[in-house]
């Protein structure tokens, strides 16, 4: 099973700042099988990025994904008030989906 | 647009069977997408349970495989989850989701239903 580790656990930033979230895998992940989600309290996760770097329809271009193999990143170029949430990475490999533990982006 | 809605008992007794239904609206369940169940707990985070295709083909998380059944009713545009021999560790928010055609992620989610295992 591929284990995903996310860092930092919490990121405290101000609106307008840049956020960089890390997702590291215990084994190589096929690039097109790495996704990022945003989750707000009381809501289901929302798919932001698939295939490591492709934004889903309707996702603002301030969100970008990058990386390959075992190291991936989600960058939010300028935080808007609605971006403060928990972010999860997810991979698919060996017929199994796994998620990272999440990074909480909160207001400084 | 695509909408998913989970339903089922919110309370299940230990050693019992957890049964949930996912109603799908806005798209045929017989299309080219796989349909999944995912659960979330404060302790273990998000955990994929398993998936089904409209042909009835299924795949499961090995950690739950022995206790999970996922089935589908194409005539009603629904799919189902049964989890047997439940314990308090199965207390979670359960989501149904449609997988993204572009590559093994979850594009559409239901709002989730909280299931508590307790006597």
């Amino acid at each position: 099973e591929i284990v995903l580790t996310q860092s930092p656990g919490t990121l405290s930033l101000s609106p307008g700042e840049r956020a960089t979230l890390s997702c590291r895998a215990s084994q190589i992940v096929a690039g097109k099988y790495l996704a990022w989600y945003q989750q707000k309290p009381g809501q289901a996760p929302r798919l932001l990025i698939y295939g490591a770097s492709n934004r889903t329809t309707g996702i603002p271009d301030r969100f970008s994904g990058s990386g390959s193999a075992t190291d991936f990143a989600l960058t939010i170029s300028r935080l808007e008030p609605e971006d403060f949430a928990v972010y999860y990475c997810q991979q698919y490999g060996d017929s199994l989906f796994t998620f990272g533990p999440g990074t909480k982006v909160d207001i400084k | 647009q695509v909408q998913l809605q989970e339903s089922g008992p919110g309370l299940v007794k230990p050693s019992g069977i957890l049964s949930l239904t996912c109603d799908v609206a806005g798209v045929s369940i017989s299309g080219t997408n796989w349909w999944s169940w995912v659960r979330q707990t404060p302790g273990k985070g998000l955990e994929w349970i398993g998936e089904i295709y409209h042909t009835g083909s299924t795949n499961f998380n090995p950690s739950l495989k022995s206790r999970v059944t996922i089935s589908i009713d194409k005539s009603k545009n629904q799919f189902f989850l049964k989890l047997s021999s439940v314990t308090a560790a199965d207390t979670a928010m359960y989501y149904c989701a449609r997988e993204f055609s572009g590559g093994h992620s979850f594009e559409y989610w239901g709002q989730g239903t909280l299931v508590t295992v307790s006597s």
Side-chain angles (χ1 to χ4, degrees):
Chain A
E1 173 179 332
I2 298 177
V3 177
L4 299 177
T5 303
Q6 292 186 243
S7 61
T10 302
L11 195 52
S12 297
L13 295 169
S14 301
E17 289 194 294
R18 181 184 186 90
T20 301
L21 288 65
S22 172
C23 176
R24 180 162 289 179
S26 60
Q27 302 171 45
I28 291 175
V29 175
K32 66 176 182 176
Y33 295 154
L34 193 288
W36 289 92
Y37 300 83
Q38 175 193 70
Q39 188 177 32
K40 297 179 180 179
Q43 297 183 16
R46 174 192 181 196
L47 179 64
L48 301 175
I49 301 286
Y50 67 94
S53 61
N54 302 288
R55 278 187 301 278
T56 311
T57 302
I59 300 304
D61 61 7
R62 64 179 181 272
F63 290 92
S64 62
S66 62
S68 62
T70 60
D71 288 289
F72 299 87
L74 175 70
T75 300
I76 310 171
S77 59
R78 289 178 54 87
L79 283 163
E80 297 288 340
E82 62 267 27
D83 300 337
F84 292 93
V86 180
Y87 292 84
Y88 297 95
C89 57
Q90 169 253 309
Q91 70 82 38
Y92 175 82
D94 294 333
S95 301
L96 178 63
F97 297 85
T98 59
F99 292 84
T103 290
K104 183 178 183 180
V105 179
D106 65 13
I107 300 176
K108 188 172 182 180
Chain B
Q1 74 273 26
V2 180
Q3 292 185 309
L4 294 86
Q5 177 70 59
E6 307 87 351
S7 62
L11 181 64
V12 181
K13 292 189 186 310
S15 77
I17 298 174
L18 181 160
S19 296
L20 296 176
T21 298
C22 182
D23 284 285
V24 178
V27 69
S28 172
I29 206 167
S30 298
T32 57
N33 301 91
W34 285 75
W35 302 88
S36 269
W37 288 97
V38 178
R39 68 182 183 179
Q40 185 172 29
T41 63
K44 290 193 70 176
L46 288 159
E47 181 178 35
W48 176 70
I49 299 170
E51 63 182 354
I52 190 164
Y53 196 60
H54 66 83
T55 57
S57 293
T58 53
N59 295 297
F60 301 109
N61 188 323
S63 68
L64 296 167
K65 185 175 184 177
S66 64
R67 298 193 292 129
V68 174
T69 303
I70 297 178
S71 57
I72 196 165
D73 186 334
K74 291 181 286 186
S75 68
K76 294 184 177 179
N77 230 38
Q78 297 174 322
F79 65 107
F80 311 96
L81 171 69
K82 288 190 186 301
L83 181 66
S84 63
S85 305
V86 296
T87 69
D90 295 307
T91 294
M93 182 70 76
Y94 285 78
Y95 295 99
C96 58
R98 189 185 88 165
E99 295 176 29
F100 181 53
S101 306
H104 295 97
S105 52
F106 303 102
E107 183 180 18
Y108 293 101
W109 297 68
Q111 65 185 28
T113 188
L114 179 62
V115 180
T116 301
V117 179
S118 174
S119 55

